[in-house]
């Protein structure tokens, strides 16, 4: 038993995450240095105290019942993951954590090893990703992401509004479905040559909507690189400039008409 407890102590001490051993009554039996860093308590302040002290005030009243329910059905050799929880530190700071619980038999009965991971940075990254996704989806510009072969993997709402293709119709297609026939093959070859050389291509071209209408776009096509600098996808950000082109054409026509009248 002493050898087994020593192994548990060594495991907890070496763990990269905060680790606690909790008795069936909720008392903290063991804590590692990472637990001190996470919660702001010293081991002396943690040992012998009830784990409820590490639970937010809002859920503390219901915690003993949940803990008792867990111990009632706990079985050594199993593991329970409890993601998206909140822990309370010594100064009252609330920290998002993922917790893994592993029951074991110890002195005085069943105990549980709690591995507690601070996921603050992960939550921040997830929140930033959500904001980025919302910004792209709500962008007034059309956004298209393809794989290396040009197969469409993502289009935003503006793309659907401009082209008339639904998201379901666009995904899996190649952007060539928008080709108008107004540009020579060399035009597109230059575009692909540029982005495959890991550079950004910018320019204007005429595309064709699902209903056959032609429209002008100003586009920026860029490669997406992985951590090794290899191309994984391509990103196209496009602005419908049809109205601007029509206005330019009308202005040129007006000037031409005026010139014809003068001459």
């Amino acid at each position: 038993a002493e050898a087994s407890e020593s192994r548990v102590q060594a495991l907890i001490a070496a763990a990269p995450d905060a680790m606690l051993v909790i008795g069936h009554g909720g008392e903290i039996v063991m804590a590692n240095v990472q637990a001190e860093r996470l919660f702001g308590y010293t081991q002396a302040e943690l040992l012998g105290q009830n784990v409820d002290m590490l639970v937010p005030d809002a859920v503390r009243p219901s915690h003993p019942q949940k803990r008792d329910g867990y111990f009632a059905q706990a079985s050594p050799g199993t593991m329970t993951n409890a993601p998206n929880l909140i822990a309370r530190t010594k100064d009252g700071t609330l920290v998002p954590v993922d917790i893994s619980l592993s029951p074991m038999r110890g002195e005085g009965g069943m105990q549980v090893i709690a591995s507690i991971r601070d996921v603050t940075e992960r939550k921040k990254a997830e929140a930033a990703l959500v904001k980025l996704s919302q910004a792209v989806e709500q962008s007034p510009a059309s956004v298209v992401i393809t794989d290396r072969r040009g197969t469409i993997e993502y289009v935003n709402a503006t793309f659907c509004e401009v082209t008339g293709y639904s998201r379901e119709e666009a995904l899996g297609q190649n952007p060539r479905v928008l080709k108008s026939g107004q540009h020579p093959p060399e035009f597109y070859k230059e575009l692909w040559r540029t982005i495959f050389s890991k550079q950004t291509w910018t320019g204007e071209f005429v595309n064709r909507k699902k209903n056959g209408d032609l429209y002008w776009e100003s586009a920026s096509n860029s490669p997406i690189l992985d951590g090794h600098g290899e191309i994984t996808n391509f990103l196209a950000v496009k602005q419908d400039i049809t109205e601007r082109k029509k206005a330019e054409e009308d202005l040129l026509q007006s000037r031409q008409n005026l010139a014809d009248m003068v001459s």
Side-chain angles (χ1 to χ4, degrees), residues 144-147 149-155 166-177:
V144 182
I145 297 176
T146 73
D147 64 13
R149 298 185 301 274
T151 303
I152 296 174
E153 295 185 343
Y154 171 84
V155 295
S166 69
R167 203 182 303 264
E168 291 73 22
E169 291 172 324
L171 298 183
Q173 295 289 338
N174 187 287
R176 71 171 64 98
V177 299

Side-chain angles (χ1 to χ4, degrees), residues 136-139 141-143 154-163 165 167:
V136 171
E137 184 61 27
Q138 298 170 21
S139 170
S142 294
V143 178
Y154 171 84
V155 295
N156 70 347
T158 301
F159 171 91
C160 299
E161 293 171 7
V162 171
T163 67
Y165 288 98
R167 203 182 303 264

Side-chain angles (χ1 to χ4, degrees), residues 91-107:
D91 65 6
T93 300
L94 300 181
V95 180
V97 295
D98 287 349
I99 299 178
S100 295
L101 303 175
S102 302
M104 68 174 187
R105 297 200 181 278
E107 292 184 7

